[in-house]
Amino acid sequence: MPPSNDLRAECLRLLQINAPQDKAAQVRGLDAARCTLKPAEIFTGPARLPGRPERPLLVQPAQLKTRAVGTLEGRAGLIHALTHIEANAINLALDMVWRFAGMPTDFYRDWWRVAQEEALHFELLNAHLIQMGFAYGDFPAHDGLWDMAERTKSDVLARLALVPRTLEARGLDATPAVRNRLVSVGDLAAAKILDVILRDEIGHVAIGNRWYRYLCDARQLDPVSTYAALAQRYQAPQLKGPFNLTARRAAGFTEAELSALQVPTSVTTA
């Protein structure tokens, strides 16, 4: 696609860029204030999204090795996994902007800001990986985040429920422990990057919560029971503790939602 002056069309173009380094740089460099915004317009994307590099090799999560962070390669493998998550997070935010028509203007502005912050996270982690003597693509990775995006591409409510509020919210739970592992082996630079990511991700999940509740209100749906039904329908992974309740509260989860989160369900793991 050629460059466009429309923000949503630009997000579709950016999503198709194969190299995540180029994608992140272009996302960070775009001044959205100079773009028009057409919420009602319906765009048709290509059959294959998003644009991807040839590497990393994508495998099933069970095929990924667990490496000890006490070794350089093990620590690089962990940083690579985080870098891959952020590369996917750029794609998810861009997809949210172009794909779903008919939402308020602030919806698109919110997710564009998320895309820019995810691009920064990718650049910080990618630079750290390079400084360690490795490159993005040197380790295999899995595609769980984008797989759920594909499953929920026909319903913005399901997308909001199961990507930012489920899969990305897991980062709120996991990041403190990962940070502590990196500190334990002396990688304070990586720990500082994770501090930035956790701060921003609380805001990203809050945006997911805001728009999920907006749609539940508009459709006269109960947020808690609707979430359970969507998780079952789309076979979202069953969430297991421990949960970072402080971060989840800061991201706007209600006490009713946090209580439901800690009750075992029969949802099938994807």
Side-chain angles (χ1 to χ4, degrees), residues 226-268:
T226 297
Y227 174 81
L230 290 169
Q232 184 74 51
R233 183 183 313 160
Y234 290 93
Q235 295 187 303
Q238 184 173 343
L239 301 182
K240 299 178 181 179
F243 300 105
N244 187 344
L245 298 180
T246 299
R248 283 178 173 268
R249 288 187 179 101
F253 284 99
T254 66
E255 293 305 313
E257 288 169 328
L258 294 177
S259 295
L261 187 67
Q262 298 174 81
V263 175
T265 69
S266 59
V267 175
T268 303

Side-chain angles (χ1 to χ4, degrees), residues 127-177:
H128 190 64
L129 190 63
I130 291 170
Q131 185 271 331
M132 295 172 67
F134 295 83
Y136 179 58
D138 282 353
F139 299 87
H142 72 80
D143 204 26
L145 279 171
W146 189 258
D147 177 64
M148 183 57 76
E150 278 291 316
R151 291 190 230 171
T152 57
K153 65 184 179 183
S154 62
D155 184 2
V156 64
L157 180 66
R159 172 68 65 85
L160 290 165
L162 302 178
V163 177
R165 299 180 75 253
T166 299
L167 299 183
E168 293 185 276
R170 288 302 284 158
L172 306 184
D173 305 323
T175 297

Side-chain angles (χ1 to χ4, degrees), residues 101-259:
M103 296 293 287
T105 299
D106 283 351
F107 175 88
Y108 304 105
R109 299 290 184 194
D110 278 350
W111 290 109
W112 171 250
R113 178 167 63 82
V114 172
Q116 290 199 304
E117 290 178 353
E118 304 291 20
L120 171 62
H121 300 167
F122 172 83
E123 290 181 338
L124 291 172
L125 288 166
N126 190 53
H128 190 64
L129 190 63
I130 291 170
Q131 185 271 331
M132 295 172 67
F134 295 83
Y136 179 58
D138 282 353
F139 299 87
H142 72 80
D143 204 26
L145 279 171
W146 189 258
D147 177 64
M148 183 57 76
E150 278 291 316
R151 291 190 230 171
T152 57
K153 65 184 179 183
S154 62
D155 184 2
V156 64
L157 180 66
R159 172 68 65 85
L160 290 165
L162 302 178
V163 177
R165 299 180 75 253
T166 299
L167 299 183
E168 293 185 276
R170 288 302 284 158
L172 306 184
D173 305 323
T175 297
V178 174
R179 181 191 184 281
N180 290 341
R181 289 174 66 196
L182 291 167
V183 170
S184 73
V185 294
D187 195 340
L188 301 184
K192 289 181 180 178
I193 294 172
L194 290 191
D195 289 339
V196 172
I197 290 175
L198 180 59
R199 178 200 67 199
D200 290 348
E201 291 299 335
I202 289 172
H204 300 173
V205 176
I207 289 170
N209 274 320
R210 172 191 178 188
W211 292 109
Y212 173 74
R213 292 204 186 92
Y214 168 87
L215 286 173
C216 283
D217 288 345
R219 300 182 189 185
Q220 298 184 317
L221 299 170
D222 173 68
V224 177
S225 60
T226 297
Y227 174 81
L230 290 169
Q232 184 74 51
R233 183 183 313 160
Y234 290 93
Q235 295 187 303
Q238 184 173 343
L239 301 182
K240 299 178 181 179
F243 300 105
N244 187 344
L245 298 180
T246 299
R248 283 178 173 268
R249 288 187 179 101
F253 284 99
T254 66
E255 293 305 313
E257 288 169 328
L258 294 177
S259 295

Side-chain angles (χ1 to χ4, degrees), residues 25-69:
Q26 290 195 41
V27 168
R28 296 253 291 148
L30 178 65
D31 183 1
R34 297 188 177 186
C35 294
T36 60
L37 185 54
K38 302 172 183 177
E41 188 157 350
I42 297 174
F43 297 94
T44 301
R48 298 181 68 87
L49 282 174
R52 298 182 185 277
E54 292 184 2
R55 299 167 69 239
L57 174 67
L58 298 178
V59 300
Q60 293 299 313
Q63 295 178 261
L64 295 175
K65 297 179 181 179
T66 300
R67 296 178 173 88
V69 296

